[in-house]
Amino acid sequence: MIQLPRLPRLTHRRAAPGTAPGTLHPREQRVQQIELRLMCFGRETLEERNLGSVDELPAVAELVRPGFPGAVWLDVVGLHDVELLAAVGRCFGLHPLALEDVANLGQRPKVEPYGEHLFIVLDHLHAGDQAFAVEQISLFLLPGLVITFQEVPGDPFAPVRERIRRGGNRLRTLGADYLAYALIDSVVDHFFPVLESFGERIETLEEELVDRPEPAVLEHIYRLRRELLMMRRIAWPERDVLSTLYRDELPLIGPETQVFLRDCHDHAVRALEILETYRELAGSMLDVYLSSLSHRMNEVMKVLTIIATIFIPLTFIAGVYGMNFARMPELHWRWGYPASLGMMAVVAAALVYYFRRKGWF
Amino acid sequence: MIQLPRLPRLTHRRAAPGTAPGTLHPREQRVQQIELRLMCFGRETLEERNLGSVDELPAVAELVRPGFPGAVWLDVVGLHDVELLAAVGRCFGLHPLALEDVANLGQRPKVEPYGEHLFIVLDHLHAGDQAFAVEQISLFLLPGLVITFQEVPGDPFAPVRERIRRGGNRLRTLGADYLAYALIDSVVDHFFPVLESFGERIETLEEELVDRPEPAVLEHIYRLRRELLMMRRIAWPERDVLSTLYRDELPLIGPETQVFLRDCHDHAVRALEILETYRELAGSMLDVYLSSLSHRMNEVMKVLTIIATIFIPLTFIAGVYGMNFARMPELHWRWGYPASLGMMAVVAAALVYYFRRKGWF
Amino acid sequence: MIQLPRLPRLTHRRAAPGTAPGTLHPREQRVQQIELRLMCFGRETLEERNLGSVDELPAVAELVRPGFPGAVWLDVVGLHDVELLAAVGRCFGLHPLALEDVANLGQRPKVEPYGEHLFIVLDHLHAGDQAFAVEQISLFLLPGLVITFQEVPGDPFAPVRERIRRGGNRLRTLGADYLAYALIDSVVDHFFPVLESFGERIETLEEELVDRPEPAVLEHIYRLRRELLMMRRIAWPERDVLSTLYRDELPLIGPETQVFLRDCHDHAVRALEILETYRELAGSMLDVYLSSLSHRMNEVMKVLTIIATIFIPLTFIAGVYGMNFARMPELHWRWGYPASLGMMAVVAAALVYYFRRKGWF
Amino acid sequence: MIQLPRLPRLTHRRAAPGTAPGTLHPREQRVQQIELRLMCFGRETLEERNLGSVDELPAVAELVRPGFPGAVWLDVVGLHDVELLAAVGRCFGLHPLALEDVANLGQRPKVEPYGEHLFIVLDHLHAGDQAFAVEQISLFLLPGLVITFQEVPGDPFAPVRERIRRGGNRLRTLGADYLAYALIDSVVDHFFPVLESFGERIETLEEELVDRPEPAVLEHIYRLRRELLMMRRIAWPERDVLSTLYRDELPLIGPETQVFLRDCHDHAVRALEILETYRELAGSMLDVYLSSLSHRMNEVMKVLTIIATIFIPLTFIAGVYGMNFARMPELHWRWGYPASLGMMAVVAAALVYYFRRKGWF
Amino acid sequence: MIQLPRLPRLTHRRAAPGTAPGTLHPREQRVQQIELRLMCFGRETLEERNLGSVDELPAVAELVRPGFPGAVWLDVVGLHDVELLAAVGRCFGLHPLALEDVANLGQRPKVEPYGEHLFIVLDHLHAGDQAFAVEQISLFLLPGLVITFQEVPGDPFAPVRERIRRGGNRLRTLGADYLAYALIDSVVDHFFPVLESFGERIETLEEELVDRPEPAVLEHIYRLRRELLMMRRIAWPERDVLSTLYRDELPLIGPETQVFLRDCHDHAVRALEILETYRELAGSMLDVYLSSLSHRMNEVMKVLTIIATIFIPLTFIAGVYGMNFARMPELHWRWGYPASLGMMAVVAAALVYYFRRKGWF
């Protein structure tokens, strides 16, 4: 009995219907200690440290200089402390509806302009044992400042952090919008390892499909379809986010960064196209599975039919000469027995010939 | 024999074709007494009472002050009294076509601007024993005034009412458009419990699918698909309503409220995406069901074929030596009987070997 | 043998390809006598009579007063007299292409502005024994004048006529555009009885599907799908007609009437949504039908397999001891016969146990 | 063994990839002699003759008078003479790319404005024994001049030619654009006989489906689907051509002709709707076919199961009393034989009762 | 056991997620020696040579004269030398993101304007043994200059090169945009040989489908569907590229070239339509395959049922008279034996008659 993976529960349980919008609800605690990682950098300067408490936030706010080459990046890991979220929101003037979406996980990827700032929700895919796990990444883009919120420490942003540290690249010389792009790009790039693992599973399934059309294969196809479906639910709106970012003339995003966002959008489209191809392949594989089941059944039936159809008449002949009638002249003929065996051989040969001509074996 | 749920009858029986538009037809009575609940509130003030009769309506009309922070909310529960509906319509200048839609249940969710006022129809989903029941909610937005019509008392608006009473929030300080938003939002929020129950049913079905592919499972899948179809018929136009409300620049809806409506629209889109995923999963489950039926049939056929194919030739051999021919030399051989048994064993072993090589067991 | 309903023949046989456009071809005669019903009404006045002949048409043309509250309505029933059609066309300046469409039945619903007048084709559905019959209704809207053409007398317009006679309503006080709306609305309203009959058939089929999956059910599903398909071919363009009428700013249609047309459009959309739901349900039912066939087959096969698999080995044993070898010591054992019966019982019990463990019964 | 119709080969073999555009390649010769039919007409005048050679073309060019009521129509039948095509092109200033499309058959229907002239490609359907054959019609519209190219003489334009000869109609009084419309209209009109033949085949198939679900029916459905698919590939772009012609404000097409093109577009849309309905019906028929196969199999299995299940136990009983044990007391009972027959009857009756209760017969 | 073709691996392995955009990664080496082929031509002049090293690039840059009839074409074959790519990019001011796409194979076809230059990615299909192999072609269009990058020497551009050498055609007299068109056109033209091979495979499959519905056919259909899917993933964006090139008013592309690009776009659309038709045919073939499997099974079952159903009752009768009861009067009747045989004949005849009436043979 093969266990199907559970549907990712809809347990990003929302507030009860009718609750006031913008209300922050405490999340289950998934990190031990909320981290507030600060990076503040310009062309030549770099300051990196973890904030000790919320009280340092106003000092951070003062570091932000919109026109400056470089940017300030505040990365919050862990979402269970409602107070802390509210404090961040107050300090940087984030819209309560946006903050509610940060805390209420299970949002769909989206970009929402709120007057002064841009609010972006993305889903980061962790390739794991089974397909993928989803982590909601929230990102605020303000002039000269990027604030990100992650659920767990496993960090999709590590390579970006590394590039900032290394310096001597666009990250250090362009502004906050380029930083935001770099972060978004690293999220989109994580689609591809997941797709590769899907591709490998499809290849494996294709082989099993031919070699052993077992119900386990069917389970795998179903599971695959379901996971592709769920990834699609993430990838489509994520593409829309990127399309909005590079097409709409948003005031916070400079033309130089737009070119990079177009490139990133292109990656998302490519991921989607691969995804859709896989979905169609999964559908085709199901058809092949059903057809090979049918074909196997045909084979089984043919064997049964050939054996039964040949021996049933023979058994009947034997039965006739096993009857106990007093007067059965054949029984006393000299060649009666060999003749009966011969008759059986003729019947069998005729049937074999008939099946052969039908192309059954 | 499993009983399928009845198609929700099309018994919101419309007037005979050709009847004059705007005619009000009496509805079946679903509440004992029509209630007219009035809430009139500002930042600091709150008046809440049930109107005794239609005669108090002009007094209500006088309470409405468009520019005022706060709003007047008249909530009518029960639709069977045509006279009362007409009186409300006359008093607040509601368009007869809109009033007809209030009374003629079974409207699709829609938003219609009628000069002075905005008319919105929504479908409220009550999560019940089986999937959901639908209640039509009609809402008029006028300057400073919201009028709602419900079929039955079970109240999707209770939490909003509670928030108004508590005070100290946006509901009290923003105008009638925000009140309308809050009411709409509470209707949209009720999609999610229904979707959660669908999700649970799908999970249960997936398990049953694997453990016991009974026809009952098939019935459940059909029922599920049908209910998803009907919910979809509600959710799509409801999303369109929200899309119109936040995108079109309707004069009655302020920019501040539009931001909240955008958020609400986002919830509706998310609900729809979940719905569509479920629909695809239900389709996949049917394929899995059919395939496991086929597989089971294969298993049954194999058992039959193996048993029959082994024993039929053996029975034939036994039949031959049961013949009563006078001259059957084998019958008199010393080792005739053991030899015949041995021959049978050889035949049986050969067939078993053949089936094993075919991978049948 | 169940007879499928014939495809509605494509016998609205068009003129031979290449015929000049605007040519009028005589239709088969479906009414005994062409009727020319005239209604001419204002707020207080009403003149209603049947025209005796084509010669009275110029007098009718003189009755038309564009700005007047009220309108002139000429309703032509029966289309076989090409001369008469041409006369009407000449008298009121109707475009020859439009007149050709009036005469050449089988047009798709459409709205075409021809300079001075608006030409509208609609399909009226008569709910009959089987699904529906289609009648083409052609309508010309001119300033102050509506001309309608019907194939047969069965009158979708009777209630409108009645409302005009009763008077004291919008029909009498608004102009020709409102009259046109009222006529179109009464055509659209006739979708709903047809849809209700479809709904009832689906409910009946759902029950039969579960109780008796006979091929007759299959025929019914096919028939249903086909009829839904054909209705859809009418309903989609009809919706487009209404969408054009209320959205495009056509000079002949006043803003007041546009509100009513929007309402009518809404009804058409609702009808379409119900239709599409039914189409999906019909598809689902077919899946259920196929699956229950498969399940039944499984049941039949199991019975066969159980019986055959139990008795075939037993028969073999009996066959062995029916052999006539001279030396079969068992035959002479004291307990040989009971022992053989016991052996059979053991084999049978073992097989029954095996099947039980497999969950076959 | 039923032969499927071959896929229309892709042998409109294009030039090798990379060949210069505008190159004319000789076509296989399908007519004995290329014909150059000239018609030059005004309101009162008509000149009709076949050109003897290319040398007369300049004289034709001089006949063209743009503003003139009436037009010049040059109809070229046969495409194998590259030189001739080039000469026509040079004489009237046709674009080399357009000329290449004339010669390279297998173009999709399209309309392309080339500065001075309009180039239109259409596919003419000849209803033949099997579905239809396709002939590419190329049409150039210049001021006062229409040039058409046909592959073979079988003439879709005969009725138009006839109407020109008869005179006294729009063709003679309107210009070249109306002539072009009339030619296009006669091509589109030829869709309907083809669709009628499809309709008849569907009706025949529906009957055969019920009476004799043979594999031949399956072949026919496949063939039908394929042909519908190929016709669709022609009809969709043809509709687009007409949509472009009547919607875009092309300078060569007058407003009066646009009204007629709209009508023609409407015919094309209607043809497409019928086509799509047929496609869906063909899909439904396949489902019905598969289901009736399944149902037949069920019937066969039931017969086998009933017979086998009744007689196998009886044969077993007979086998038991055919054993040769020395001590089988029943064999010597007085009523042993009738009792055994009675037992068999009881078993048979019980099984029959069981099957009846299961509703198997 | 038929081996399915492997899914083209996703091994255009991208840089690790989060890598800086515009980073060039060394590719696996697929050519021995990177070639830099230069063609520089005007109306009368032609210079063609292979560059020895990157150092000659500045000299090439000086050859470029934007307004000049003719163009400079630099064709780079082989992509493994990151340094060389970077040098080309620096010399001609190519955008780093575009260069990254040149090096990171597996891009989707696209066109991207980067200020001064236009960057186009296309997929060239090599028709090979199995369907096709894909090669990414990157093309930069600058004023007076075209730079192309190919993976391997197998040259889709050979015919264009030849036409340039021959001279006296548009290639020599028009500018770089026409050269770019000619190159793109030769890539699009390669779709058709691939489609022809698909067409031939479909025709072969259709025959096999009818003659021998073997599982190998199923494998071929699956393989076909998969390859069509992959070709579609290339063809759709390629069409979009052409649509952008001819519709958008890109400053680098003159109006004369746009006409040619429109023609090329038309070819791409035609290829897509053929592709979609093939996809639908492949789906239909699968249905036919499944149905003929079902039909074959029916045939097998009928043979089994007829034989078994006829002989099982006969064998039973023989069994009865093979019983050893002491008192079986029939056994001693004079005509007992012939009577029993007669009875068997009657039973057999009745069953045969029954099956005939059922139309089973």
Side-chain angles (χ1 to χ4, degrees), chain C residues 97-152:
Chain C
L97 273 178
L99 269 186
E100 189 198 359
D101 287 347
V102 170
N104 289 349
L105 301 178
Q107 300 300 315
R108 46 193 303 273
K110 61 180 170 185
V111 55
E112 291 182 337
Y114 283 100
E116 287 293 283
H117 58 276
L118 208 58
F119 174 54
I120 298 167
V121 177
L122 295 173
D123 278 337
H124 169 56
L125 302 186
H126 296 271
D129 281 357
Q130 276 304 328
F132 55 84
V134 182
E135 179 189 0
Q136 178 177 320
I137 304 282
S138 311
L139 186 152
F140 288 90
L141 173 59
L142 296 95
L145 172 68
V146 170
I147 309 175
T148 50
F149 293 89
Q150 308 180 48
E151 292 179 55
V152 285

Side-chain angles (χ1 to χ4, degrees), chain B residues 130-146:
Chain B
Q130 275 304 328
F132 55 84
V134 183
E135 179 188 1
Q136 177 177 321
I137 304 281
S138 311
L139 186 153
F140 288 90
L141 173 59
L142 296 95
L145 171 68
V146 171

Side-chain angles (χ1 to χ4, degrees), chain B residues 1 12 14 21 32 55-56 65-66 82 112-113 122 128 133 169 189 196 206 277 291 305 319 328 331 339:
Chain B
M1 212 171 308
H12 304 299
R14 313 184 67 241
Q32 284 223 302
D55 305 335
E56 297 184 49
R65 294 184 221 164
V82 169
E112 291 183 336
L122 296 172
N169 49 29
D189 276 4
E196 276 177 43
E206 283 174 337
T277 307
S291 301
T305 303
M328 291 179 67
L331 295 183

Side-chain angles (χ1 to χ4, degrees), chain A residues 6-28:
Chain A
R6 300 234 146 225
L7 253 189
R9 302 300 308 267
L10 298 171
T11 45
H12 303 300
R13 196 168 263 292
R14 312 184 68 241
T19 317
T23 318
L24 294 178
H25 303 275
R27 315 293 323 156
E28 64 175 315

Side-chain angles (χ1 to χ4, degrees), chain C residues 242-267:
Chain C
L242 283 157
S243 165
T244 304
L245 287 176
Y246 102 79
R247 283 226 185 85
D248 296 16
E249 307 226 327
L250 300 166
L252 281 164
I253 294 175
E256 199 167 354
T257 303
Q258 254 173 329
V259 172
F260 287 91
L261 284 166
R262 184 180 64 186
D263 189 63
C264 185
H265 172 258
D266 200 67
H267 294 169

Side-chain angles (χ1 to χ4, degrees), chain C residues 6 18 222 226 301 321, chain D residues 163 206-207 301 324 326 330:
Chain C
R6 301 233 146 226
Y222 177 77
R226 195 214 248 225
M301 293 306 304
Y321 293 111
Chain D
R163 273 155 57 200
E206 284 175 337
E207 277 169 45
M301 292 306 305
N324 297 322
E330 300 96 317

Side-chain angles (χ1 to χ4, degrees), chain C residues 182-245:
Chain C
L183 297 171
I184 295 167
D185 190 49
S186 78
V187 168
V188 170
D189 275 4
H190 278 87
F191 281 3
F192 290 92
V194 174
L195 285 172
E196 275 176 43
S197 87
F198 277 128
E200 278 159 26
R201 281 165 67 192
I202 289 175
E203 286 174 23
T204 314
L205 272 173
E206 284 175 337
E207 276 169 46
E208 286 184 12
L209 204 60
V210 184
D211 298 359
R212 302 160 251 118
E214 296 296 305
V217 172
L218 183 62
E219 302 288 334
H220 284 137
I221 296 175
Y222 177 77
R223 189 191 276 229
L224 188 70
R225 281 174 113 183
R226 195 214 248 225
E227 285 165 5
L228 287 168
L229 219 51
M230 311 212 74
M231 178 160 176
R232 191 169 167 244
R233 217 162 85 194
I234 291 163
W236 271 108
E238 207 125 324
R239 196 210 60 152
D240 292 345
V241 166
L242 283 157
S243 165
T244 304
L245 287 176

